[in-house]
């Protein structure tokens, strides 16, 4: 059986010991890898009694059966943990080169548990696992650290945290390949809580392919498909993800000034077109990726990867800032400090509104581009105002008596797309099991771009089916792991064929999507076990009650309630959002719940 | 303004006169062309007082703004009329070369009304319109007639009826390009009722393109997309549509023996693989089509185009026949006589069941391949048993006291896909406004092939949204007009860009799909005005009550009722299936209904 290495590595940081044991192949077939495998392992390892920042929490790094095979965009890997930001199951995934190197170490998953007494970094190189003292590295920023530890490998095998993670900011990211991030939900804080500064990997175990000839043919076909799709062959390479700025603004669904408006008068100034014209140096790409959506941009002060659309929006429209160089610079600073740009930007925006309304005493105001870098520095070091912002907007706004001003779902800051102009996106945020997130079944393709089909963005009735479809499909893709952008040119059906060719285990498209549904339901079971209920499947009151006064979404609020009811029914869950026994049986998850009961 | 010719031709067969008047450009923008324009014209021209076979009914031939432009598959055209089979609005469309020639005559639509006293054929050539006496052609079969009238043009500009249309069979097709058909719902009978034998077109007015450079680029991109898609570059050219035979049989959704079973033990013998291996001469294609799904096949007795999947199924699995040469031959015979293969095959299957059960006295039995050709001949000439079969299975089964044995929706025979194994497909048949038809939003992509995404074929809740999505999209595509197979490799978004480039009138994807929704609702209004109600949105009792005893769809019936309720709500219709005023206003259709009220 190829595709999987068949081994799990467990690292105990408390004892500085490691062990390796076989991957349960039944679990592998059922949950595939990546996010799915991570969720399944977390289910057994971390129960509701565990505080996310305690030694009992774990970090589970996983790759998938496609990772490192050379299939287009097969560079991604995941981390799974209990989120210190939301308390939910959390996984985040990232591209670059690290995941491919990780796969070549010969493990499918690496479970990191316990807490090292002193700062440590781990080296996994050609079969040997070494704990290194990191006392002198503690405090280093990401770029310098990557430079130092990654010299042998062109900086492409270092995964680490920056000061934000060390200081347990609940919006801290884990960084890899210098500027790539396992960003959302605070995994950097979990790594910091374990006194683990970095993991450097290098391996020589090249993944084997079961049906080489078929795989080669599928590689060829996928190359053709990606070259044929206007999105993957033109829009993304040419403009990057920021191409969405003008599009979202034009339809009145660009959250602005902490979601007080849905259009930003400065959108053009921070658009992908503007970025390309004035600041783009070149584009870059992850390992084995022919798309190359990564921007390399440059201002007078910085040069580096980014910014992505979400980062540009978070520090831009959401903070009322139209100063693109300032945004590029604060984005680079977040990378260097190891911070999630969406949560950092939106938390600053929340502080701006709290301050403008007089609930909080600070100089933060919408439009103050000059304060962005300072705020981000303060967050990473929990200094001054940063001490209050470091744990995200919900804790901040709650402290000041106005939790309703935190633009979060389940405590995680939402991205740019305002759900009042995109009804399905609102349902997505509310039901996303890691909180306000667009990577769990983004509805932009269906509700805005017409990919693969356009549906009415204001439609409520029937919307849940599309959200579920995207959620299941994305859960499968996150378990392979490949990049979701590939899916813009290549149908799911194709991934199932590649998965079958690589593993020799036959997956019809339906089997693969069913695995995605299984993952989604398991994640739901996890959150339910943590005490989450249907009451948590909600949105900030602003989005439910305050309609935009003008623009194309004028008069619309998010009609969450009917969508949510329909969603539960369509999911085969009861009216409290609990998967029904029949659904669990269908997905082969009954035994997990019975073990609990 | 390009794309549209801007002119409508009206031919009065009673008076043998013609007139031409301008196309209302507001209507053109709202309904695009093809099926949409046809429906809009029919709304004004043919009310509920008109019998479909009376001179007051009209045949409206339409092309669309893309027809004849050279855009991939821009060869199609439509005919719209009130159906003599169902009494509903009917449009049928066809490919080949005729549509492109029709566009070049300089008209967007040709309305044929009245009844000629004597048989007549019409020639439209380089601006001149001539009525020719067809007394000597009356009675001729399609192949010979096409040969005779089409000599100058390699048989590629003749549209005509065969004996079936002359004899007013309610399942008679209009044929063009010798072997292509405007097949369903009996348009051939309407043409026969007007004593119109043929229309020969030839034109020199080459369609102009508004933005030539953009159009050229889109042509190039579409070529790349079609070459990249495995379906349009491989499956369809290599195996044709019959590739579906084994696929549908394997999942237990291949209607067999008048829908008594959902799997056919002889499927392999009549499969696309078998056809390709033993009978395929070559493949062929319509004008401007790089796909080439057309089969040219050969037996000891015949050589010609076809058979398609549906024809092979109708005379094969539906009649319990596994004799592929016999099927190829009866398919060719239907083309020559001018008959709809689906309705002909399924009507014979109905007679087989009636006879086997002793309700009807005939020698027809399932599996009797030797009786197929005889039956089809008899239908076309209303001879012997054919006199009873010529008006379709519902009239036949009703006559013998067992209407429940007619496998029809709104009186039109359903195609191969058994709705018990494909819940969405059942809803599609029940709501299709021309009756049991798969060309109004086929769910096979979503429920079977995973294109663009796989959804659970047994799922009921939420299914209506997908059906609506497909219906609206297909209504738009039928109005452009391009071939739906193109849509397997090219997203809707693309068609909107092509439409904009050709016409210079900007259509966002949403505008184009909205036009499709407008067409769908107008067609619904038409049927409602004819007296159709929600009671007609149903399926044969067999599909609602009798579950297959074995196979992958074992135990399943069509759960139509909950899907239908949800469908009405999602459509913005009331519980009786009547579009609500708000929906009509949104679509700009209010004025039509008010004019009636």
């Amino acid at each position: 059986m190829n595709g999987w290495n068949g081994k799990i590595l467990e690292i105990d940081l408390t004892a500085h010991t490691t062990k390796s044991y076989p991957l349960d192949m039944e679990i592998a077939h059922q949950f595939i890898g990546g996010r799915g495998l991570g969720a399944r392992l977390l289910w057994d390892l971390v129960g509701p009694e565990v505080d996310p920042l305690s030694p009992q929490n774990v970090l589970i790094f996983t790759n998938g059966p496609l990772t490192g095979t050379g299939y287009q965009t097969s560079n991604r890997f995941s981390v799974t943990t209990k989120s210190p930001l939301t308390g939910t199951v959390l996984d985040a995934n990232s591209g670059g080169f690290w995941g491919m190197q990780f796969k070549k170490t010969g493990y499918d998953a690496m479970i990191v548990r316990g807490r090292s007494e002193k700062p440590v970094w781990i080296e996994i190189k050609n079969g040997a696992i070494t704990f290194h003292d990191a006392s002198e590295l503690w405090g280093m920023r990401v770029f310098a650290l990557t430079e130092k530890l990654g010299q042998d490998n062109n900086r492409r095998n270092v995964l680490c945290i920056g000061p934000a993670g060390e200081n347990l900011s609940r919006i801290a990211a884990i960084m890899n390949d210098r500027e790539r991030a396992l960003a959302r939900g605070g995994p950097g804080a979990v790594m910091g809580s374990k006194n683990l500064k970095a993991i450097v990997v290098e391996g020589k175990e090249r993944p084997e392919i079961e049906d080489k000839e078929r795989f080669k043919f599928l590689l060829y076909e996928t190359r053709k498909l990606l070259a044929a799709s206007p999105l993957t062959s033109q829009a993304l390479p040419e403009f990057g993800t920021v191409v969405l700025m003008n599009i979202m603004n034009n339809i009145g669904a660009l959250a602005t000034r902490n979601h007080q408006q849905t259009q930003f008068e400065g959108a053009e100034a921070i658009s992908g077109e503007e970025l390309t014209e004035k600041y783009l140096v070149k584009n870059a790409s992850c390992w084995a990726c022919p798309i190359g959506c990564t921007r390399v941009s440059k201002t007078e002060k910085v040069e580096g990867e980014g910014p992505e659309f979400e980062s540009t929006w978070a520090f831009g429209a959401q903070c009322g800032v139209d100063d693109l160089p300032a945004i590029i610079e604060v984005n680079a600073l977040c990378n260097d400090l190891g911070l999630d740009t969406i949560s950092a930007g939106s938390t600053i925006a929340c502080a701006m509104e709290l301050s403008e309304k007089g609930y909080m005493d600070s100089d933060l105001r919408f439009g103050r581009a000059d304060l962005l870098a300072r705020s981000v520095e303060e967050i990473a070091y929990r200094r001054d105002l940063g001490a209050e912002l470091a744990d995200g907007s919900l804790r901040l706004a709650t402290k000041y008596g106005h939790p309703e001003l935190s633009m979060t779902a389940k405590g995680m800051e939402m991205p740019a797309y305002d759900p009042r102009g995109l009804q399905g996106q609102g349902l997505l945020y509310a039901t996303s099991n890691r909180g306000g997130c667009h990577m769990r079944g983004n509805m932009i393709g269906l509700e805005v771009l017409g990919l693969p089909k356009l549906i009415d963005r204001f439609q409520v009735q029937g919307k849940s089916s599309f959200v579920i479809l995207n959620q299941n499909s994305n859960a499968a893709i996150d378990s392979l792991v490949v990049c979701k952008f590939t899916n813009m040119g290549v149908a799911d059906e194709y991934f199932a064929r590649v998965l079958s060719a690589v593993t020799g285990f036959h997956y019809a498209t339906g089997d693969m999507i069913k695995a995605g549904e299984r993952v989604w339901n398991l994640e739901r079971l996890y959150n339910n076990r943590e005490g989450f209920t249907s009451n948590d499947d909600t949105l900030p009151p602003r989005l439910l009650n305050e309609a935009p006064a003008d623009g194309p979404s004028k008069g619309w609020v998010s009609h969450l309630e009917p969508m949510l009811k329909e969603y539960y029914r369509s999911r085969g869950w009861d009216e409290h959002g609990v998967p029904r026994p029949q659904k669990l049986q269908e997905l082969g998850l009954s035994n997990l719940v019975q073990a609990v009961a």
Side-chain angles (χ1 to χ4, degrees), chain A residues 12 29 36 41 68 86 100 120 180 196 208 225 237 266 275 293 308 314 340 347 372 377 397 433 517 522 524 551 573:
Chain A
D12 185 337
H29 291 157
L41 294 172
T86 62
M100 171 269 288
V120 69
R180 302 200 167 271
L196 176 60
E208 288 291 322
L225 286 165
L275 178 69
C293 70
E308 299 293 337
D340 172 10
T347 299
L372 293 178
E377 286 265 359
N433 40 41
E517 187 185 3
L522 176 61
R524 180 74 182 190
W573 296 355

Side-chain angles (χ1 to χ4, degrees), chain A residues 31-39 62-67 76-80 91-94 432-434 437-442 470-485 487 492 495 512 515-516 519-520 523:
Chain A
F31 295 89
I32 305 180
R35 169 176 159 193
L37 178 58
T62 51
N63 52 62
L66 299 196
T67 311
R76 300 188 78 84
F77 69 104
S78 268
V79 69
T80 306
D91 78 276
N93 77 47
S94 177
S432 161
N433 40 41
R434 71 172 190 178
C437 153
H438 62 299
M439 298 307 284
R440 294 284 138 117
N442 204 344
N470 275 2
Q471 288 175 335
N472 292 349
S473 164
N474 279 338
I477 290 171
D478 284 340
S479 302
L480 295 173
V481 193
V482 293
C483 175
K484 292 186 183 79
F485 288 168
N487 198 213
D492 294 359
F495 297 144
M512 189 186 74
V519 172
W520 190 269
E523 292 167 335

Side-chain angles (χ1 to χ4, degrees), chain A residues 454-469:
Chain A
L454 195 77
I455 59 177
D456 185 344
R457 61 197 179 95
F458 293 115
Q459 184 192 317
V460 168
Q461 172 73 32
K463 199 52 85 63
S464 67
S465 297
F466 297 100
V467 171
I468 292 169
L469 179 72

Side-chain angles (χ1 to χ4, degrees), chain A residues 524-550:
Chain A
R524 180 74 182 190
L525 290 178
Y526 188 93
N527 286 350
N528 287 352
R529 194 175 68 177
E530 292 288 323
F532 287 87
T533 70
S534 56
N535 292 334
D536 299 297
D537 296 336
T538 190
L539 293 171
R542 169 167 290 165
L543 307 182
L544 300 173
N545 304 319
E546 300 170 26
D550 40 38

Side-chain angles (χ1 to χ4, degrees), chain A residues 27 31 39-40 43-44 518 521-522 525 529 584 588-597:
Chain A
I27 286 183
F31 295 89
R40 182 63 189 82
W43 173 266
D44 288 343
R518 187 175 296 119
N521 277 270
L522 176 61
L525 290 178
R529 194 175 68 177
L584 295 179
L589 292 173
S590 305
N591 57 329
L592 296 186
V593 176
Q594 281 155 6
V596 173

Side-chain angles (χ1 to χ4, degrees), chain A residues 275-297:
Chain A
L275 178 69
T276 299
E277 194 181 328
K278 298 200 180 152
Y279 306 99
L280 186 70
V281 179
K282 59 177 181 180
N283 59 352
S285 60
C286 298
W287 184 73
C289 174
I291 303 173
C293 70
T294 306
R295 314 286 81 192
V296 175
S297 50

Side-chain angles (χ1 to χ4, degrees), chain A residues 20-32:
Chain A
S20 160
Y21 49 84
L23 171 68
D24 179 332
M25 287 313 294
E26 199 182 317
I27 286 183
H29 291 157
Q30 294 263 304
F31 295 89
I32 305 180

Side-chain angles (χ1 to χ4, degrees), chain A residues 245 248-249 252-267 270 313-314 316-321 349 353 366 407 415-418 420 542-543:
Chain A
M245 191 70 70
M248 298 314 299
N249 192 54
L254 187 72
T256 299
R257 294 186 188 83
N258 207 36
H259 290 67
Q260 292 185 95
Q261 296 94 35
T262 53
Q263 288 188 306
F264 180 44
E265 69 285 358
I270 60 171
W313 160 81
Q318 183 73 334
C319 290
V321 167
E353 185 173 359
F366 288 112
M407 294 300 118
Y417 319 99
D418 194 300
R420 288 168 291 192
R542 169 167 290 165
L543 307 182

